[in-house]
Amino acid sequence: MQQDGHFPVTDANNTARRTALITGASAGIGKCFAEHYAACGHDLILTARRTDRLETLAAQLAADNGITTTVIAGDMADPATPQRLWTEITGRGLTVDVLINNAGYGMTNNFVDYPWTEHRDFIQVMVTAYAELCHLALPGMLERRHGRIINVASLAGLAPGTIGHTLYGASKAFLIKMSESLSLETEGTGVHVTAVNPGFTRSEFHTTAGVQETVDRMPKWMWMQAKDVVAETHAASEAGRATVIPGRANRMTAFILRHVPANLALTLSRRRSAMQDDAAGKA
């Protein structure tokens, strides 16, 4: 490993290989995206806050797949990070052919339980950084007439509001609508923009959000493995689909959500939130 976090490929003769930039790549779905695209022969640029985990992953993927991996640390809560990241990428002479916006986390308490600074950082990570990286990546993709952007949204972006998670569903709804609009704007250009809306997916997300005990009590059939979510997303991106909902159960849930009257949906959400509070209190 070189000091700049760059892991060189052993065979440098393949100049046609494309490069994927993945945010939040150190764990969970982001890590699975890195593994999947590495196996497909893409070079990788990986970014997250935890460089130790990134460097271990990058070295392993480079060795296993004969690709080049580059690690650039960055905290998307810092408004300067997207532009700094892009400047470093272009300064190294790298080209981003695939952008996978995946960095994110959850906040579970009521809106007023957090200081505004935490909400501000959340919006920066979950909304502003996604949009800015799309804005930075798209001009080059359009000029080259090839590019893929995947924005990791959520089934929560299609669901009614809930008690707690106040900004989470709202941020994911933003990503869905932005991706749909960008997909229309780039139609016929060779650039595909896709929002993926996972449901319950096995990853570190729920442990980080502090709700692992609650989700462990949920039926197993509701859950998907992260690698399956990633595989469906890749196929949808290559097919030029604006949105994808991985998994049959999740697609059925989305269908129901679209057809339930808004007032009834909110009533059901209120009852579900109350049941979760009761369960948490008894745990």
Side-chain angles (χ1 to χ4, degrees):
M1 176 186 132
Q2 296 179 7
Q3 292 298 316
D4 62 357
H6 190 71
F7 298 82
V9 65
T10 54
D11 179 7
N13 295 324
N14 184 2
T15 58
R17 194 162 53 222
R18 300 194 186 279
T19 300
L21 166 62
I22 305 172
T23 71
S26 60
I29 291 179
K31 179 174 179 286
C32 283
F33 268 116
E35 292 168 344
H36 180 91
Y37 276 83
C40 291
H42 286 64
D43 291 333
L44 301 177
I45 305 169
L46 306 178
T47 183
R49 292 177 301 167
R50 297 174 287 191
T51 57
D52 55 340
R53 299 183 67 167
L54 278 183
E55 289 172 350
T56 299
L57 175 64
Q60 188 65 56
L61 293 178
D64 290 348
N65 299 281
I67 61 167
T68 297
T69 57
T70 303
V71 170
I72 304 175
D75 183 356
M76 292 299 166
D78 180 354
T81 294
Q83 183 60 65
R84 181 187 64 77
L85 174 66
W86 203 258
T87 299
E88 189 161 349
I89 289 170
T90 56
R92 296 185 184 198
L94 301 173
T95 297
V96 174
D97 303 291
V98 180
L99 166 63
I100 301 174
N101 270 319
N102 168 75
Y105 59 99
M107 299 169 66
T108 58
N109 294 331
N110 287 353
F111 187 70
V112 296
D113 292 336
Y114 296 97
W116 173 249
T117 52
E118 292 195 36
H119 291 306
R120 179 199 63 201
D121 290 349
F122 183 87
I123 293 169
Q124 171 62 37
V125 172
M126 304 289 283
V127 175
T128 308
Y130 276 64
E132 186 172 0
L133 284 172
C134 287
H135 193 262
L136 289 165
L138 273 169
M141 291 180 176
L142 291 169
E143 182 179 352
R144 294 186 297 273
R145 298 195 64 79
H146 181 277
R148 304 288 185 264
I149 294 178
I150 294 171
N151 291 315
V152 178
S154 171
L155 207 57
L158 303 173
T162 61
I163 297 172
H165 309 282
T166 314
L167 296 180
Y168 186 81
S171 70
K172 297 304 186 179
F174 172 90
L175 294 180
I176 294 168
K177 295 303 181 185
M178 179 183 72
S179 299
E180 289 174 341
S181 296
L182 289 178
S183 180
L184 292 172
E185 291 178 13
T186 58
E187 207 167 66
T189 66
V191 177
H192 300 168
V193 181
T194 302
V196 55
N197 303 302
F200 294 108
T201 305
R202 294 290 181 188
S203 72
E204 295 181 9
F205 175 86
H206 302 99
T207 302
T208 303
V211 295
Q212 188 63 52
E213 289 187 10
T214 300
V215 301
D216 282 345
R217 290 191 290 268
M218 300 175 66
K220 292 183 179 179
W221 61 265
M222 297 180 67
W223 292 89
M224 287 190 70
Q225 297 298 322
K227 65 178 182 179
D228 298 323
V229 171
V230 167
E232 284 197 43
T233 302
H234 185 196
S237 172
E238 290 305 307
R241 293 169 57 189
T243 60
V244 57
I245 300 171
R248 184 178 301 175
N250 292 325
R251 288 190 287 273
M252 180 61 69
T253 299
F255 178 84
I256 294 170
L257 288 171
R258 291 189 181 106
H259 292 84
V260 172
N263 288 340
L264 175 59
L266 281 174
T267 298
L268 294 173
S269 179
R270 185 183 299 112
R271 291 177 180 174
R272 176 173 172 270
S273 296
M275 290 173 61
Q276 287 179 336
D277 286 344
D278 289 343
K282 295 174 183 176

